[in-house]
Amino acid sequence: MKRKFLAVMMSLAMVGCMAAGCGSSDTASSDESGSTSTSAEVANADKPLVWFNRQPSNSSTGELDMSALSFNDDTYYVGFDANQGAELQGTMVKDYIEANIDTIDRNGDGTIGYVLAIGDIGHNDSIARTRGVRSALDTGVETDGAINSEPVGTNTDGSAKAVKDGSLEVNGKTYVVRELASQEMKNSAGATWDAATAGNAIGTWSSSFGDEIDVVVSNNDGMGMSMFNAWSKDNKVPTFGYDANSDAVAAIAEGYGGTISQHADVQAYLTLRVLRNALDGVDIDTGIGTADEAGNVLTDDVYVYKEEERSYYALNVAVTADNYQDFTDSTVVYAPVSNQLDESSHAKKSVWLDIYNASDNFLSSTYQPLLENYDDLLNLEVDYIGGDGQTESNITNRLGNPGQYDAFAINMVKTDNAASYTSILSQ
Ligand code: BGC
């Protein structure tokens, strides 16, 4: 309705302008009615589609859902390299322990104890991070060729089967490393990566075995900051997260141990850029690996594209006390891709985009603000839909009129559920 109204207003303005004989530059650049009629002609099933942040995949096995990833010729996924990031996270924690070995073992029992907040046991990124930490700290146990990523509950006596006691030698002395506890941070309504749940968990853990906790590790900063604020900051226990949200980066000055930037500035760009390219009918690499006419281009140290997975993956960077000053604002566009596209050759198009959980810290404080910066640069008018993080239908109910949009960007609640969206687009 709103768009139709706009289109009518614009044609009226054009008529007025023609009658008054005014310059044509304005009308050429704001000819929106063209895009509206295009969207009416193209079948929804043929419109550009990008999945982001939650890759269509089987939540038990991790296997990619290739039918969703190749729904049509203009379908892609944008995320980040989960394994590379997970390895960085594990190494960051291990390096910190080694560098602070004289003070890290708070009760001096020779065991470095850590607790781990798990985001979503069915999410590939979360699984990778759990594995990365266990692998670096030597607490991982292999099951079917991969490190077990199950939560252990409480393991203060070291008897859990999903992990083992690790061993770490520093300066000629051997320490035991133990995962004292880990838990999926899911609230009673079903929301995963839940920061409040993590804050409660650290309360429970610290009151029963607080003096054994030497390090706190989290699959993301939302949960990590919740634990830091609830307990570890006051108790001077280094806490590590993931995402490099601005508040977590700022907390490094107050003892937060570190975080990983998943280059959300590159991901948010790619999310909208692949749609822009498909809508323009140009090579998909335009403004990505190949500079566009405005000079936007990415170098291969910040992303990889895997054609067979139809997926773009941003690369991660560790953010610690050494370099956090460079990461203080997580919502700033990435300079090499910050040039405005010319509206005369990249007419305004409309995009439907959802954020699976409007209260997810990373998506709401980092990713969406970035998308909002890039949508202007790429001349995309984006409708942002915020989900409740629990039910797909809460979001799909708001995809009632796909014919109104030129392209779609989808962030699912559960990675198995791609068909809930593609079935609507196929109707
Ligand atoms: C982020 C988490 C976030 C999740 C949502 C992950 O990539 O690291 O912070 O909760 O995406 O799907």
Side-chain angles (χ1 to χ4, degrees):
M1 287 305 277
K2 222 164 89 194
R3 297 193 61 76
K4 269 195 195 134
F5 176 71
L6 246 180
V8 171
M9 289 301 286
M10 278 175 175
S11 4
L12 285 178
M14 275 169 71
V15 172
C17 195
M18 272 158 19
C22 45
S24 62
S25 62
D26 253 348
T27 47
S29 62
S30 59
D31 182 9
E32 270 222 351
S33 45
S35 86
T36 312
S37 61
T38 314
S39 58
E41 284 155 20
V42 181
N44 294 323
D46 296 327
K47 292 177 182 172
L49 164 62
V50 63
W51 309 97
F52 68 97
N53 176 261
R54 311 197 129 212
Q55 190 171 27
S57 52
N58 182 309
S59 62
S60 315
T61 64
E63 192 193 338
L64 298 186
D65 176 351
M66 284 314 301
S67 69
L69 288 163
S70 45
F71 174 61
N72 64 32
D73 289 348
D74 293 323
T75 300
Y76 298 92
Y77 170 72
V78 172
F80 64 96
D81 187 332
N83 294 328
Q84 179 252 350
E87 197 182 322
L88 272 183
Q89 191 190 25
T91 309
M92 168 176 72
V93 177
K94 183 173 179 234
D95 288 350
Y96 185 98
I97 294 174
E98 288 173 349
N100 294 277
I101 198 68
D102 294 340
T103 51
I104 198 110
D105 182 11
R106 299 196 311 137
N107 63 0
D109 64 353
T111 296
I112 318 285
Y114 72 92
V115 294
L116 173 68
I118 294 178
D120 174 348
I121 54 169
H123 188 296
N124 281 346
D125 300 345
S126 179
I127 292 170
R129 291 171 200 175
T130 297
R131 287 183 173 147
V133 169
R134 289 180 178 168
S135 149
L137 300 182
D138 190 35
T139 52
V141 171
E142 284 221 357
T143 314
D144 301 328
I147 290 190
N148 192 317
S149 61
E150 284 163 29
V152 296
T154 305
N155 179 42
T156 44
D157 62 0
S159 66
K161 294 283 170 283
V163 291
K164 66 175 172 71
D165 278 352
S167 118
L168 183 68
E169 203 195 303
V170 193
N171 302 335
K173 187 172 170 201
T174 305
Y175 296 82
V176 172
V177 184
R178 179 171 296 166
E179 185 167 308
L180 299 167
S182 54
Q183 172 186 319
E184 183 189 39
M185 299 303 172
K186 186 172 182 169
N187 72 13
S188 53
T192 53
W193 303 89
D194 190 56
T197 305
N200 293 337
I202 195 71
T204 309
W205 291 335
S206 61
S207 64
S208 62
F209 51 88
D211 62 334
E212 292 175 53
I213 306 175
D214 302 314
V215 179
V216 174
V217 190
S218 171
N219 282 173
N220 80 355
D221 282 336
M223 302 182 295
M225 281 299 288
S226 177
M227 298 195 286
F228 184 68
N229 289 327
W231 182 75
S232 33
K233 181 178 174 187
D234 287 347
N235 290 278
K236 308 221 171 329
V237 175
T239 299
F240 296 85
Y242 204 108
D243 290 341
N245 292 335
S246 299
D247 62 336
V249 172
I252 293 178
E254 305 180 317
Y256 197 70
T259 180
I260 302 290
S261 160
Q262 52 169 292
H263 251 310
D265 51 357
V266 169
Q267 287 181 68
Y269 172 72
L270 286 168
T271 302
L272 296 180
R273 184 71 209 212
V274 294
L275 297 181
R276 179 77 256 178
N277 287 346
L279 290 166
D280 289 346
V282 299
D283 190 292
I284 198 64
D285 198 41
T286 310
I288 299 179
T290 310
D292 65 14
E293 75 280 7
N296 294 305
V297 68
L298 293 173
T299 42
D300 59 11
D301 54 338
V302 293
Y303 83 103
V304 285
Y305 175 55
K306 290 203 183 143
E307 164 113 62
E308 67 287 3
E309 297 178 0
R310 312 273 312 162
S311 296
Y312 286 86
Y313 301 103
L315 297 174
N316 304 263
V317 186
V319 182
T320 64
D322 296 337
N323 63 348
Y324 76 96
Q325 307 281 9
D326 301 338
F327 294 83
T328 48
D329 186 350
S330 65
T331 66
V332 174
V333 294
Y334 187 55
V337 290
S338 58
N339 304 311
Q340 177 73 48
L341 294 190
D342 188 342
E343 210 180 312
S344 60
S345 39
H346 304 273
K348 275 230 154 59
K349 297 283 176 180
S350 64
V351 176
W352 184 95
L353 181 150
D354 83 279
I355 299 287
Y356 92 100
N357 183 354
S359 36
D360 182 271
N361 298 68
F362 169 61
L363 295 169
S364 64
S365 76
T366 296
Y367 213 103
Q368 184 168 337
L370 282 164
L371 289 167
E372 287 173 8
N373 290 334
Y374 287 116
D375 65 10
D376 294 330
L377 296 174
L378 298 173
N379 301 325
L380 296 173
E381 242 168 55
V382 182
D383 272 356
Y384 293 93
I385 309 294
D388 65 7
Q390 295 152 27
T391 47
E392 224 74 58
S393 60
N394 176 278
I395 300 165
T396 51
N397 283 344
R398 290 182 279 163
L399 183 51
N401 194 359
Q404 194 181 319
Y405 299 92
D406 299 305
F408 307 94
I410 298 176
N411 180 215
M412 289 179 282
V413 173
K414 210 160 173 252
T415 59
D416 310 87
N417 288 343
S420 311
Y421 298 84
T422 50
S423 61
I424 295 176
L425 300 180
S426 301
Q427 271 164 26

